[in-house]
Amino acid sequence: MMFEKLKDLREYEAKTQKETAYFLNVARSTYAGWECGKDIIPLKKLNELANFYQVTIDYIAGLTTIQEKRLKKIDIDLTIIAKNIRLIRLSYKMSQKEFAESIQSSQSSIHNYETGKTLITTMNAIELAKTYHISLEQLIK
């Protein structure tokens, strides 16, 4: 589970929740909610942690057990993610509605993701990665 990795990585780095929350520019209670699994960490913050810990988002999200080193900082770019989501959908020759249903989302959300109006949610990104066998790292690059 993702929240377990958040705690494991934080403890491995000998950081407190308060220090980690400060790094992410969120309240300690917000970070604690992510770490205990009460809330889902936003993709942008998940990426910031991956950069900080120098591991892949896939590792933190529990999509792989291999702790690959992330050698280069990656910034979230809505345009790149929008293009990648659209390319994945089109490669499967699916409508936005069909694609949305396949990842348990809505057509309007897919439209907003593909046009770069909103960043894909962490849970939709994970579902997309699992359903279409892609890496979250591929999605954001």
Side-chain angles (χ1 to χ4, degrees):
M1 304 291 283
M2 182 176 12
F3 59 89
E4 292 168 345
K5 289 278 178 33
L6 293 175
K7 183 177 181 181
D8 291 345
L9 286 166
R10 179 182 58 77
E11 289 178 343
Y12 180 79
E13 294 291 328
K15 300 288 183 195
T16 64
Q17 284 186 345
K18 186 176 180 180
E19 290 169 323
T20 306
Y22 180 80
F23 169 77
L24 294 171
N25 196 28
V26 297
R28 189 209 56 81
S29 60
T30 298
Y31 178 78
W34 299 336
E35 193 175 277
C36 75
K38 180 180 169 233
D39 300 306
I40 303 298
I41 186 170
L43 191 59
K44 186 174 176 123
K45 296 299 182 182
L46 184 62
N47 185 60
E48 289 175 25
L49 280 179
N51 284 331
F52 179 72
Y53 294 131
Q54 297 181 319
V55 296
T56 65
I57 292 179
D58 297 280
Y59 178 73
I60 299 174
L63 295 172
T64 183
T65 56
I66 301 167
Q67 190 174 347
E68 289 182 48
K69 198 84 163 150
R70 185 189 258 191
L71 302 175
K72 185 177 159 189
K73 182 182 174 210
I74 299 172
D75 292 320
I76 293 286
D77 183 328
L78 279 175
T79 306
I80 291 171
I81 295 171
K83 180 188 78 150
N84 288 339
I85 292 170
R86 188 169 194 278
L87 288 173
I88 293 165
R89 179 179 64 80
L90 292 176
S91 73
Y92 283 88
K93 297 179 173 72
M94 297 176 86
S95 68
Q96 286 182 341
K97 183 179 180 188
E98 293 167 327
F99 191 70
E101 289 170 357
S102 75
I103 64 167
Q104 301 166 19
S105 187
S106 68
Q107 182 177 352
S108 63
S109 291
I110 298 302
H111 173 77
N112 288 336
Y113 300 157
E114 287 187 1
T115 57
K117 290 182 181 173
T118 58
L119 179 61
I120 189 170
T121 66
T122 302
M123 293 314 295
N124 281 167
I126 290 170
E127 195 61 36
L128 188 153
K130 287 179 180 178
T131 302
Y132 296 99
H133 311 287
I134 65 154
S135 160
L136 291 177
E137 296 285 310
Q138 289 175 274
L139 183 65
I140 67 170
K141 289 185 197 178

